[in-house]
Amino acid sequence: MLRYLIKRLFFMIPMLLGITLISFIVIHLTPGEPGVIEAEMNPKVTKEVRERIRAYYGLDKPLHVQYYMWLKRIVKLDFGISFASDRRPVIDKIKERIPVTISINLISMVLIFIIGIPIGVYCAKHKDTTIDKALTAFVFAGYAAPTFWLALLLMMFFGVYLEILPISGLKSFNFHELSFFEKILDVARHLILPVGISAFGGLAGISRYMKSSLLEVLRQEYITTAYAKGLPEDVVLKKHALRNALLPVITIIGLSVPGLIGGSVIFESIFSIPGMGQLFYMSVMARDYPTIMGILVIGAFLTLLGNLLSDILYAVADPRIRIG
Amino acid sequence: MPYNNLGLLYFNFYLCYNNQNTMTIKKYILLIPLIFFCLSCSSAKDPGFYEEKGTPAHGDTIITASIGEPSNLIPILATDSPSHEVASFIYNGLVKYDKNLRIVGNLAESWDISKDNLTITFHLRKGVKWHDGAPFTAHDVMFTYKLIINPKTPTAYSGDFLLVKEAKVIDDYTFQVRYSKPFAPGLISWSTAILPRHLLEGKDITTSALARRPIGTGPYKFYEWIPGERIVLVANEDYFEGRPYIDRYIMRIIPDSATMFLELKRYGIDMMGLTPLQAVRQTDYPAFKREFNKFRYLSFGYVYLGYNLKHQFFKDKRVRQAISYGINKKEIIDGILMGQGVEANGPYKPDMWAYNNNVKRYPYDKEKAKELLKEAGFNTGKDNILYKDGQPFEFTVLVNQGNDVRIKCAELIQKRLSEIGIKVKIRVIEWASFVNEFIDKRNFEAVILGWSVPHDPDIFDIWHSSKQGKKELNFISFENKEVDELLVKARHTLNMEERKRYYYRIQEILAEEQPYTFLFVPYANVAIHKRFKGIEPAPAGLMYDFIRWYVPERQMRYKQ
């Protein structure tokens, strides 16, 4: 097992290298260059000034030299200084935004699992009933409805019309004056809409997964055997069927790990949440290469790690696929 | 972008780089029924409450919002408009524009210009203090100048300052610059923010803490910056022009303009620039009018249809004139801008001193257009398209993606020109490749673009024939000897009447030549909460007199 792990970790290195190389080339091929992209077509920004700024960022060097310089820094875990005009270390910019994104994603992920799995189980058990169909319609509505549209409607309704929920942001203006419990309440009120909407959108996936996987298991012969033994339905379902049906769900948990640091741009913009999605979008728009690369590297690393994690979890949960 | 203390809301952004618009407008279409639904249910309040003018008093907070987060509060290092907007409250230049766009003193009390027009001597205000208490002197000005021209400083704004031949500090309150040639935009270039020497000298400006905790001489002091959320400024009680009435200025960062509009309706923000649709339709209901004033002024920019003058057909002046006659500008303004704009006839906005009202105009006239095209050698073919030497008259208009107004303009132009036998294709391209692949490589036939109009009328960079290199702005390849001469003369004289004559003549030539078909100058519409008094729109915009805005005691909302 340990050897397998080490081998897997070792194979991650060339994979990461390949990912960074391709990303690096692709973002440098995109038209537009950092520093002056906002000043494009600005009469006050002369040609000489442009050249000066290019040299400042090292963009006058050939691409492979730039990549080598970047690589030399990244192996020391130095993400470099952002090309955006704030010129802050990339790692600071990411650090500042990661907690918000992770907590919102974590809360909505937990919500998705808590609500989605029972829905899936219920639908499998009561297949083709009216309630099953209604639930299916409900989760698909969540999946299909455009986030921004739903978000704006709900903001309008709860924020402008009923005036019971805040429209955007994460904290109120007088946050620092509030007591501890009021602070929690304040943040919770701000989180209801964003978390609710993102969870609503994610229900379909997990509940459908759960349903089909459980239906698959229920068709197995050992379930028939269990029923034949005279076991009560509850026991058959919980002890025999559900355990096996949950296996594929583990894969999803593993694959969700990289998603935890990613955020949706549209979603974060609408609720004015300063998260990773916005940071990534802004850096792409400003051609802020170090920040783009920093986020991509962390994302790639987490994806590979998540794959590994789900493989390990799988092995732990299912004796059949354990490797020596 | 000239740096201008409290000068204007930066609507340039709206013209040059408008990626957010399409999405927003679509969203609003979906929302219209709901908006009307909500009109009927706003809470009743004494309708005259905010009408009372009251007397000026200190206090209250104004909350504004910005789509983008400022990047760097050292203005010479920032190219984005939110940064400049915040910094304009914190720093001062030596001079600034007043409400009518005349140059007046700011940190400089007065200035003398030598007889040969080469030397400007600034007499600085005495007793001005930095926000940390240190005195402001001519050494700060010298330091700022040296910093800007230092090749190691990554600033986009060194162009004007590299023309200075010599700068010297005469005494603590006198600063002198000498140009090798008289340079008309020279004076206003000193509206650039003066930075504190005692905090920056000997340090690397790119890593300075001032980028996020600025210290200036301006009417507001920096208080806090919560990343991704808001920036808070507080009134500078010792400000040399008097303490501002409004105690706090907050800029919230709200990246989505639909959300921003909802926050405005919920009174989460006090001030916001409105799109034409918002200004004309979506704010036209009693509850909104009870709480908000709407202001409008001509924004600093115009939109045009530009021709590649190397193109075989566009080389001929008559062809360009014909197209100008064939386009209905009024229809564009009424239909697309919902009336929120005026026709443009040249490169300035009508309320500037350099604007010449008396130039050749091109009212919509189909017959005249056809006549001119016939004169230029075009004949109608069987398919109703014009032909010259067997070549059909068709061309492609490039428009940048995300700018809904310009895309719709292109569609109207397409329709109108098809009526006179010209086939127009439209191609929508993302901004960065628009500039790099098409404009820079001269790989276009016609474009719809906007220029922001500078406060100073110098338009050398856009129209002089020497400015046709890569990344330079005369990308349509306009060449006119007389314009070249006039541009040079106008930029090298400091006599305003003389400059005016040169610019008047340039506008006449441009109107005759029609290298662009100038389309329109849009209005900037701004909604501001009614409790704020003392706001007067002027050619300079709204913000020029911000420190004199006030809220009467009884109407204050945020008390500390």
Side-chain angles (χ1 to χ4, degrees):
Chain A
M1 185 75 189
L2 195 67
R3 262 186 59 191
Y4 168 74
L5 255 182
I6 292 170
K7 214 166 93 188
R8 282 288 302 267
L9 280 172
F10 185 73
F11 274 123
M12 273 169 71
I13 295 171
M15 200 102 96
L16 264 177
L17 259 178
I19 293 174
T20 58
L21 184 64
I22 293 172
S23 325
F24 197 86
I25 292 172
V26 170
I27 57 171
H28 278 81
L29 284 179
T30 335
E33 278 190 347
V36 288
I37 193 158
E38 294 134 321
E40 206 79 79
M41 312 286 287
N42 182 338
K44 286 283 160 204
V45 184
T46 58
K47 206 170 89 185
E48 296 73 33
V49 170
R50 268 168 215 284
E51 291 307 315
R52 221 187 239 193
I53 291 178
R54 288 198 73 204
Y56 177 81
Y57 288 123
L59 295 171
D60 47 352
K61 300 195 177 68
L63 199 57
H64 62 271
V65 179
Q66 289 183 45
Y67 181 69
Y68 177 70
M69 277 162 39
W70 178 81
L71 205 61
K72 235 169 49 183
R73 273 188 280 116
I74 202 75
V75 291
K76 288 182 278 178
L77 286 181
D78 174 6
F79 286 85
I81 306 281
S82 165
F83 281 2
S85 49
D86 57 10
R87 294 191 180 77
R88 298 169 67 207
V90 170
I91 198 74
D92 284 1
K93 290 178 100 166
I94 295 178
K95 257 197 229 151
E96 188 176 278
R97 283 166 181 261
I98 256 185
V100 179
T101 301
I102 289 190
S103 15
I104 290 180
N105 284 336
L106 213 60
I107 298 171
S108 60
M109 207 166 111
V110 169
L111 263 183
I112 289 171
F113 279 89
I114 292 179
I115 303 171
I117 290 179
I119 289 181
V121 173
Y122 186 90
C123 288
K125 211 164 123 190
H126 306 273
K127 195 171 165 261
D128 292 336
T129 60
T130 322
I131 298 182
D132 168 34
K133 281 176 190 159
L135 279 172
T136 309
F138 172 73
V139 296
F140 273 108
Y143 184 70
T147 330
F148 76 85
W149 179 74
L150 198 63
L152 283 173
L153 284 187
L154 293 178
M155 279 156 75
M156 197 92 195
F157 185 69
F158 290 108
V160 180
Y161 174 46
L162 292 180
E163 299 198 13
I164 50 172
L165 287 179
I167 293 172
S168 66
L170 283 175
K171 291 172 201 156
S172 297
F173 271 118
N174 54 348
F175 190 73
H176 55 278
E177 297 162 8
L178 301 175
S179 71
F180 180 70
F181 287 104
E182 283 172 331
K183 276 185 184 171
I184 293 183
L185 194 73
D186 187 58
V187 173
R189 269 161 42 89
H190 279 88
L191 281 180
I192 290 176
L193 283 182
V195 167
I197 289 169
S198 83
F200 186 39
L203 282 181
I206 197 80
S207 63
R208 296 304 292 174
Y209 226 126
M210 191 64 230
K211 181 185 174 184
S212 61
S213 148
L214 187 57
L215 281 177
E216 177 81 36
V217 172
L218 286 177
R219 274 198 294 271
Q220 301 290 323
E221 282 168 357
Y222 65 84
I223 297 294
T224 320
T225 314
Y227 276 121
K229 274 200 300 189
L231 287 177
E233 192 177 5
D234 215 37
V235 179
V236 177
L237 215 66
K238 276 190 186 144
K239 222 176 154 187
H240 296 263
L242 204 53
R243 268 196 178 180
N244 288 302
L246 274 173
L247 279 177
V249 176
I250 291 174
T251 325
I252 302 183
I253 296 183
L255 292 179
S256 319
V257 171
L260 281 180
I261 71 145
S264 142
V265 186
I266 296 176
F267 186 76
E268 286 179 1
S269 299
I270 283 192
F271 288 106
S272 316
I273 297 168
M276 293 291 287
Q278 265 193 57
L279 179 66
F280 191 64
Y281 178 72
M282 295 298 186
S283 20
V284 171
M285 292 320 280
R287 308 290 188 268
D288 179 359
Y289 301 145
T291 311
I292 302 175
M293 287 307 292
I295 297 173
L296 283 177
V297 167
I298 295 177
F301 181 72
L302 285 180
T303 310
L304 296 176
L305 208 67
N307 281 341
L308 183 63
L309 188 77
S310 64
D311 284 358
I312 295 170
L313 281 178
Y314 229 85
V316 172
D318 188 349
R320 283 172 302 179
I321 31 177
R322 225 166 268 165
I323 308 158
Chain B
M1 194 182 310
Y3 185 75
N4 178 7
N5 188 37
L6 303 189
L8 66 155
L9 284 166
Y10 283 85
F11 281 95
N12 299 351
F13 186 65
Y14 165 71
L15 281 159
C16 319
Y17 200 18
N18 198 347
N19 285 330
Q20 306 272 350
N21 248 1
T22 343
M23 219 164 74
T24 319
I25 286 168
K26 274 184 205 143
K27 277 177 220 164
Y28 281 153
I29 291 166
L30 295 172
L31 280 173
I32 288 170
L34 244 159
I35 288 164
F36 286 114
F37 167 68
C38 284
L39 304 189
S40 46
C41 47
S42 27
S43 58
K45 211 180 199 176
D46 171 15
F49 183 69
Y50 290 121
E51 299 304 330
E52 197 185 312
K53 281 215 97 171
T55 47
H58 294 286
D60 213 349
T61 300
I62 188 165
I63 304 175
T64 65
S66 164
I67 296 250
E69 180 164 14
S71 61
N72 191 321
L73 295 181
I74 299 178
I76 56 165
L77 298 183
T79 46
D80 58 309
S81 49
S83 299
H84 285 278
E85 198 177 324
V86 173
S88 73
F89 290 93
I90 294 171
Y91 299 99
N92 294 104
L94 294 183
V95 292
K96 66 176 179 185
Y97 284 109
D98 72 355
K99 60 191 269 190
N100 293 317
L101 299 177
R102 310 264 164 180
I103 300 174
V104 294
N106 199 2
L107 281 174
E109 223 160 24
S110 61
W111 58 90
D112 310 317
I113 294 168
S114 66
K115 280 229 173 77
D116 57 4
N117 283 338
L118 292 175
T119 309
I120 311 177
T121 312
F122 292 101
H123 304 286
L124 308 182
R125 271 175 202 266
K126 290 176 184 137
V128 175
K129 286 197 165 62
W130 293 99
H131 295 156
D132 63 357
F136 157 80
T137 68
H139 296 283
D140 293 308
V141 184
M142 189 67 183
F143 170 76
T144 305
Y145 162 69
K146 280 191 177 152
L147 190 66
I148 293 176
I149 57 162
N150 185 340
K152 284 200 186 113
T153 308
T155 177
Y157 305 110
S158 56
D160 285 347
F161 296 94
L162 291 169
L163 299 172
V164 173
K165 196 174 143 204
E166 191 191 3
K168 62 182 174 210
V169 173
I170 291 179
D171 61 47
D172 270 6
Y173 297 101
T174 316
F175 178 75
Q176 195 177 62
V177 282
R178 193 173 169 76
Y179 293 85
S180 41
K181 260 194 213 164
F183 181 55
L187 180 57
I188 196 60
S189 69
W190 293 97
S191 65
T192 194
I194 303 300
L195 301 169
R197 177 178 78 133
H198 65 288
L199 297 172
L200 286 166
E201 190 156 47
K203 290 182 188 144
D204 180 3
I205 179 115
T206 61
T207 56
S208 165
L210 255 61
R212 299 187 75 78
R213 293 198 68 83
I215 286 181
T217 50
Y220 283 82
K221 292 193 273 193
F222 177 82
Y223 179 71
E224 68 172 342
W225 180 346
I226 305 173
E229 262 180 62
R230 63 174 179 262
I231 290 179
V232 182
L233 310 178
V234 294
N236 176 7
E237 296 183 7
D238 303 324
Y239 187 53
F240 56 81
E241 284 184 335
R243 171 182 166 186
Y245 287 119
I246 298 168
D247 269 350
R248 284 198 303 172
Y249 169 94
I250 299 180
M251 177 191 267
R252 288 182 63 182
I253 291 121
I254 302 177
D256 184 86
S257 49
T259 308
M260 204 190 275
F261 192 48
L262 290 182
E263 286 282 8
L264 183 78
K265 285 162 163 264
R266 170 85 185 267
Y267 319 123
I269 56 179
D270 294 319
M271 178 167 140
M272 175 183 173
L274 302 175
T275 64
L277 183 67
Q278 287 169 339
V280 176
R281 298 248 177 90
Q282 294 173 348
T283 55
D284 193 31
Y285 60 91
F288 190 90
K289 287 183 185 163
R290 200 157 56 224
E291 298 266 351
F292 289 95
N293 281 320
K294 277 183 275 182
F295 298 93
R296 79 172 190 180
Y297 58 91
L298 281 175
S299 63
F300 288 86
Y302 62 91
V303 173
Y304 61 88
L305 172 70
Y307 310 102
N308 188 340
L309 301 178
K310 296 256 156 79
H311 185 274
Q312 49 164 341
F313 294 156
F314 295 140
K315 266 182 196 160
D316 190 335
K317 176 170 93 180
R318 288 168 298 189
V319 173
R320 305 191 301 263
Q321 287 174 336
I323 294 177
S324 293
Y325 278 121
I327 294 172
N328 190 342
K329 295 183 192 172
K330 192 166 181 310
E331 160 188 85
I332 291 175
I333 292 167
D334 290 344
I336 301 170
L337 293 181
M338 310 184 84
Q340 299 302 303
V342 295
E343 285 180 27
N345 304 305
Y348 299 114
K349 66 168 190 152
D351 53 6
M352 289 171 78
W353 61 263
Y355 176 78
N356 183 351
N357 196 25
N358 220 346
V359 297
K360 184 170 180 189
R361 296 186 184 230
Y362 296 83
Y364 177 55
D365 189 340
K366 239 170 30 176
E367 295 316 311
K368 203 148 190 184
K370 281 184 187 161
E371 227 171 81
L372 277 163
L373 286 168
K374 198 159 188 193
E375 234 176 78
F378 286 91
N379 288 305
T380 312
K382 271 182 235 146
D383 48 1
N384 266 333
I385 290 175
L386 291 171
Y387 284 85
K388 185 182 181 180
D389 310 329
Q391 288 244 39
F393 196 168
E394 60 174 47
F395 66 93
T396 305
V397 174
L398 301 183
V399 194
N400 64 302
Q401 193 182 44
N403 196 315
D404 231 38
V405 168
R406 289 183 203 161
I407 295 170
K408 284 185 195 151
C409 273
E411 284 163 2
L412 280 185
I413 289 172
Q414 181 181 44
K415 178 172 159 277
R416 284 298 171 196
L417 292 188
S418 78
E419 288 169 6
I420 54 173
I422 303 171
K423 198 173 164 192
V424 177
K425 290 184 208 151
I426 300 170
R427 212 171 146 193
V428 182
I429 297 157
E430 186 263 335
W431 178 248
S433 50
F434 184 88
V435 172
N436 287 288
E437 301 301 316
F438 295 91
I439 300 288
D440 287 352
K441 296 187 178 156
R442 308 290 183 259
N443 182 13
F444 67 94
E445 290 165 323
V447 291
I448 295 183
L449 264 176
W451 283 125
S452 51
V453 176
H455 292 49
D456 182 90
D458 182 36
I459 44 174
F460 183 87
D461 292 303
I462 296 173
W463 298 104
H464 197 269
S465 59
S466 69
K467 289 289 176 181
Q468 297 182 45
K470 198 181 175 244
K471 282 277 170 209
E472 290 187 316
L473 300 177
N474 184 359
F475 58 86
I476 59 162
S477 313
F478 179 71
E479 286 179 28
N480 183 301
K481 276 223 175 77
E482 195 184 347
V483 170
D484 280 0
E485 268 169 38
L486 289 167
L487 280 170
V488 174
K489 274 188 197 159
R491 104 184 303 214
H492 294 307
T493 171
L494 297 178
N495 181 326
M496 199 148 133
E497 284 309 312
E498 205 184 327
R499 281 189 87 191
K500 199 166 161 175
R501 275 206 306 280
Y502 298 140
Y503 288 122
Y504 267 41
R505 178 72 194 127
I506 290 174
Q507 287 169 78
E508 281 166 15
I509 298 169
L510 291 180
E512 171 66 26
E513 290 288 326
Q514 291 291 299
Y516 295 165
T517 292
F518 298 93
L519 296 172
F520 58 83
V521 179
Y523 276 111
N525 280 287
V526 183
I528 303 178
H529 195 270
K530 267 199 174 158
R531 66 181 195 277
F532 298 100
K533 322 284 181 194
I535 306 164
E536 280 169 47
L542 285 178
M543 303 296 284
Y544 62 90
D545 208 15
F546 182 77
I547 62 167
R548 297 273 85 92
W549 294 13
Y550 67 91
V551 182
E553 193 110 36
R554 215 164 74 88
Q555 296 172 22
M556 286 186 185
R557 168 170 296 157
Y558 301 96
K559 286 172 185 151
Q560 279 163 303

